[in-house]
Amino acid sequence: MNKVKIIGTGSYLPENIVKNDDLAKIVDTDDEWIRTRTGIRERRISEGENTSEIATKAAIRAIKAANISVDEIDFIIVATSTPDNFLPSTACMIQDNIKALNATCFDISAACSGFIYALDIGTQFIRSGRADTILIIGAEILSKILDWKDRSTCILFGDGAAAAVLKKSETEGIFATYTGSDGRLGDALECSAIPVNNPYVKRKAEKAKAVVKMDGKEIFRFAVKIMEKSIKKLLKDSGYSADDIKGIIPHQANFRIIEAASKRLNINLDKFYVNLDKYGNTSAASIGIALDEAVRNDIFKRGDKVLLVGFGGGLTYGGALIEV
Ligand code: COA
């Protein structure tokens, strides 16, 4: 089995900063409520850029950091719940933008766990010998599927993209991966697409309302439990202890979820890398953005072992223990 390493990361966030006070002008909320319930102070919201555009910018940065030629890329795997189109896939659009013409390209749908799922899929392709070099991307323009009249959801999310290049390596860089799903809880976080509407339909098509609906309390409970389970599983499978780990990059949904997980695991909160105050929940991009930011700011240095852990709509969950 081949060994795999992340050899470069990149991220991109739209320039437009929307602060909590700005949202208080749109919905009945205030900065204090949002900060104390979530930890979020501001988020980036697209002024028109779509998912493939921000994903391409993150990809170019990751390719530069990895110092590879686009011709080397065997697969482009994009995790997104907010593609530009049903067809073509976002991955194919990025392929055309960066001219990575030797790649096989496809999108995956795993909501906020998308970066972890893409990392796991890419790792398995390289392990098995099917590929040498893979570009994974998590990218979302969540703002286009938010109900901007619903104060319980529109304050939580932000737009952003992150990418990483995985490569076959002499030394191991991915010590464990873990994924899972629980479709029974799908309606706790959902956004409908378009209903069946053709000349043969027997029941009248409901008008689609493609906006996020969420049971916040259900997701909160699930997130805390699954973070604990995933981290324990990754440590067990890899044979490392929490003391061997330099830091944990959790999905950036809510600071209180991270706090609760840290308590349950008895792992110091300082070990958790948090940037949700600046970007909110960027779904499939969140873990990748945090990883890129932490590596570029030398918070995690080459050789450090870092745990990534996520959860999201589906419901989906998972994690990875990597060396940066
Ligand atoms: N501003 C002010 N008040 C708000 C508000 C807002 N933005 N959003 C909700 N409220 C109100 C509610 O209407 C409710 O009022 P009521 O008591 O008069 O009915 C009150 O605040 C408490 O709401 P509640 O839903 O109990 O708050 P909470 O402490 O559970 O926090 C979340 C709500 C959404 C912040 C929290 O449940 C959460 O973060 N869940 C996880 C969501 C998540 O991470 N989703 C993405 C996963 S990938």
Side-chain angles (χ1 to χ4, degrees):
M1 293 248 273
N2 291 323
K3 299 185 173 78
V4 187
K5 228 177 164 49
I6 296 177
I7 59 160
T9 60
S11 59
Y12 174 82
L13 290 133
E15 276 174 22
N16 179 36
I17 297 173
V18 175
K19 293 183 181 294
N20 291 344
D21 282 338
D22 298 322
L23 291 182
K25 293 175 196 151
I26 304 177
V27 286
D28 182 13
T29 189
D30 57 78
D31 174 56
E32 210 248 327
W33 193 97
I34 301 174
R35 260 189 306 105
T36 53
R37 300 290 174 122
T38 71
I40 299 165
R41 291 172 182 273
E42 58 191 45
R43 72 284 294 140
R44 304 297 180 91
I45 300 293
S46 168
E47 291 175 293
E49 282 177 300
N50 213 335
T51 303
S52 68
E53 295 171 85
I54 66 167
T56 298
K57 289 178 180 165
I60 289 169
R61 289 177 182 172
I63 291 164
K64 189 160 177 243
N67 197 20
I68 58 158
S69 138
V70 288
D71 297 334
E72 291 174 55
I73 300 171
D74 299 315
F75 282 85
I76 301 175
I77 306 172
V78 176
T80 186
S81 300
T82 50
D84 297 26
N85 308 299
F86 288 137
L87 289 170
S89 70
T90 315
C92 281
M93 296 175 78
I94 296 162
Q95 173 186 40
D96 182 35
N97 290 344
I98 65 173
K99 303 293 176 226
L101 300 180
N102 297 322
T104 299
C105 307
F106 59 91
D107 290 1
I108 60 164
S109 167
C112 304
S113 311
F115 197 80
I116 298 291
Y117 274 45
L119 175 62
D120 189 34
I121 295 166
T123 298
Q124 306 316 324
F125 273 127
I126 296 175
R127 285 235 191 284
S128 68
R130 177 75 175 78
D132 284 353
T133 309
I134 299 190
L135 175 64
I136 62 162
I137 301 170
E140 305 282 10
I141 298 292
L142 248 304
S143 59
K144 66 184 174 181
I145 59 164
L146 293 177
D147 179 349
W148 287 93
K149 292 193 176 78
D150 178 4
R151 66 179 180 173
S152 69
T153 51
C154 76
I155 54 125
L156 295 174
F157 297 95
D159 300 329
V165 177
L166 310 180
K167 195 155 183 74
K168 187 167 104 181
S169 158
E170 292 297 313
T171 57
E172 190 57 88
I174 314 273
F175 302 100
T177 56
Y178 172 55
T179 57
S181 315
D182 187 349
R184 292 170 304 176
L185 300 174
D187 56 5
L189 184 51
E190 60 181 5
C191 174
S192 62
I194 52 175
V196 182
N197 187 11
N198 64 43
Y200 308 98
V201 195
K202 295 216 169 73
R203 37 177 198 204
K204 201 170 174 264
E206 288 163 32
K207 201 168 182 297
K209 202 173 176 225
V211 291
V212 170
K213 283 187 286 172
M214 184 184 71
D215 178 344
K217 283 193 200 314
E218 177 86 68
I219 296 285
F220 197 108
R221 276 193 297 271
F222 171 80
V224 175
K225 267 193 279 176
I226 213 66
M227 271 180 67
E228 181 187 12
K229 184 178 169 193
S230 302
I231 290 174
K232 284 184 172 162
K233 168 103 177 114
L234 290 163
L235 290 174
K236 186 164 173 274
D237 289 356
S238 64
Y240 288 108
S241 76
D243 291 339
D244 299 321
I245 306 303
K246 178 76 186 193
I248 299 173
I249 298 182
H251 172 44
Q252 307 286 315
N254 183 322
F255 186 65
R256 283 164 51 223
I257 292 176
I258 298 170
E259 234 174 7
S262 135
K263 272 203 195 107
R264 282 171 82 123
L265 285 153
N266 202 18
I267 297 177
N268 199 315
L269 193 55
D270 292 350
K271 250 193 173 159
F272 290 77
Y273 185 77
V274 177
N275 67 2
L276 61 86
D277 51 319
K278 292 184 291 183
Y279 309 130
N281 178 347
T282 55
S283 190
S286 105
I287 292 173
I289 291 171
L291 175 64
D292 183 50
E293 192 176 84
V295 167
R296 280 176 197 265
N297 293 330
D298 262 355
I299 289 159
F300 301 135
K301 302 192 177 60
R302 287 264 157 258
D304 284 345
K305 291 183 180 61
V306 176
L307 262 167
L308 314 178
V309 61
F311 54 86
L315 297 181
T316 56
Y317 53 91
L321 203 167
I322 63 163
E323 192 172 278
V324 295

